[in-house]
Amino acid sequence: MTQTSPPGWHPDPGHTGTGPLHERWWDGGRWTDHLRVPPAAIRRRRLRIGIGITAGAVVLATVGGGLFLLSDHSGGSKDDAATAPSGAPSRGPGAPGGGGRGGGGGGGAPERQLPQTEDGYATDVVSGISLPVPDGWTGTSGIAGAGVTTGEYACPGNTSEQCVRGGVFSMPAKALKLDTTTAKATATKDISSNAEESYGEKIYGGITSHQQLKSGPVTVAGEQGYLVRWKVVTKSGDDGYVQSLAFPSPHAKDMLIVVRSGFDIAAKAPELSVMDDITEGIKAASGAGSGPGTTA
C-alpha cells in the first residue's frame, strides 16, 4: 500500500507463508492490528457449509466487556472506512516504515487482535470459542468466524470451484441474520439454511430429500446448547451430513453462537464420528495475540 491508497482490507503484508493468508486493515496511512479471514476464502466452498458473513453485514458484539464493531465488505470501499475497526498500528514486513510490529493507541472500537493461536485449535474471537483441528485438517482463526476443513477437491458440476470433504465453521448467530433467542430455536431454524447452502446449489443438483438423524440439548464450552443433524440426498454429487449447533458465547451470555458442520458421504470423507469429536472439543477461547491460524 502507498500513502495515497484509500482505507480498506488488503492481503496481510506481514504474511510469512506459514498458515492461511488473512487480510489486514489499511487505514489510509498505515497498517492496523485488525485482521479478518477473507470473505472469498470463507465462501470458497460455495462454501458447502455457507458460513461467511454476507457482504455488508455488521456485527455488534460484547467481547471482554467492550463493544466491538465489525463489518464484512468485499473489497476496500469507502463504506469499509466508515465501519471497519480502528486500533493500534502494526507494521509487518513490506509495510510503510519497514518491518517489525509496532503498537500504540487508536480511536473508535477497542483494540482487538486475534487471540494467541493454540496448537490444534482455530479461534473465533468475537464468539469467544476455539474449534479443535483434527489431525490432517486445516484450521483458520478469525476475528468473526473460524473454521476447520479437510479434503479439497473439484466441485461436482463445476470443476472450477473447490469443495471440501468436511468442514466445520463458527459464527455469531446475528451474523447469519438469525433473530431467535434460544439455542434450540436457533439450531432448528438454521439447519435448513445450512443444508441448502451446503448441498442445495446448482452444481450439486439440489437436495432431493433429507432425514433428521439427531436433535437435542448438548453442553458445549461449558454452555447449554442444542444441535440438529440431517442426512441430505443430492441430485448429483455426493450426499452429505449437515449439523447446526447453537449455544451461548462463554464470554458474552447474551450472544448466541452457531457452528455449522457438513461432511460428504464418500469414501474419502471423514467419519461422522469426527463431527461429534469436534463438537465435544469446542472450548472457550483463551489468551490474546496475533497468530493468524493453525494447521494441524
Side-chain angles (χ1 to χ4, degrees):
M1 294 300 100
T2 67
Q3 294 293 336
T4 58
S5 296
W9 293 104
H10 303 281
D12 183 10
H15 183 62
T16 63
T18 302
L21 177 64
H22 282 67
E23 292 181 332
R24 187 177 293 276
W25 180 255
W26 169 258
D27 67 7
R30 60 187 178 182
W31 297 101
T32 72
D33 281 327
H34 298 289
L35 298 171
R36 72 172 184 180
V37 178
I42 295 178
R43 300 188 188 99
R44 183 169 52 98
R45 217 190 155 176
R46 277 324 250 172
L47 234 185
R48 296 296 306 280
I49 312 289
I51 196 69
I53 298 181
T54 56
V58 175
V59 182
L60 183 60
T62 56
V63 182
L67 287 178
F68 190 23
L69 181 64
L70 296 175
S71 178
D72 177 17
H73 293 281
S74 298
S77 67
K78 292 182 178 179
D79 290 337
D80 282 355
T83 56
S86 60
S90 177
R91 297 185 177 186
R101 290 189 181 276
E111 178 187 348
R112 299 291 182 190
Q113 297 178 333
L114 291 180
Q116 176 98 28
T117 298
E118 302 177 64
D119 288 342
Y121 286 90
T123 299
D124 176 343
V125 180
V126 168
S127 299
I129 61 170
S130 292
L131 307 177
V133 185
D135 290 344
W137 290 48
T138 297
T140 302
S141 299
I143 292 177
V148 296
T149 59
T150 189
E152 289 190 4
Y153 68 103
C155 293
N158 186 349
T159 56
S160 66
E161 297 284 352
Q162 285 293 305
C163 294
V164 294
R165 291 295 182 187
V168 179
F169 300 86
S170 67
M171 188 68 63
K174 290 294 185 183
L176 295 171
K177 299 183 179 180
L178 293 166
D179 55 4
T180 43
T181 58
T182 67
K184 180 177 181 179
T186 301
T188 301
K189 183 175 182 178
D190 184 67
I191 188 64
S192 58
S193 296
N194 183 6
E196 182 64 27
E197 292 179 22
S198 298
Y199 291 98
E201 298 180 7
K202 292 180 180 179
I203 57 177
Y204 308 109
I207 297 173
T208 59
S209 65
H210 77 269
Q211 175 188 0
Q212 182 164 298
L213 301 180
K214 188 176 183 180
S215 66
V218 61
T219 301
V220 184
E223 304 296 330
Q224 293 302 303
Y226 197 91
L227 68 78
V228 180
R229 182 182 296 171
W230 286 2
K231 175 183 178 181
V232 297
V233 177
T234 65
K235 187 175 181 180
S236 62
D238 296 319
D239 300 333
Y241 299 112
V242 292
Q243 175 178 289
S244 289
L245 165 68
F247 57 97
S249 166
H251 295 313
K253 306 301 183 183
D254 59 345
M255 180 171 67
L256 288 171
I257 308 307
V258 172
V259 177
R260 286 182 175 178
S261 303
F263 288 11
D264 286 352
I265 301 176
K268 296 183 179 181
E271 296 290 334
L272 185 57
S273 60
V274 178
M275 190 180 294
D276 291 321
D277 293 340
I278 293 174
T279 299
E280 293 172 5
I282 297 171
K283 67 175 188 176
S286 60
S290 58
T294 181
T295 300

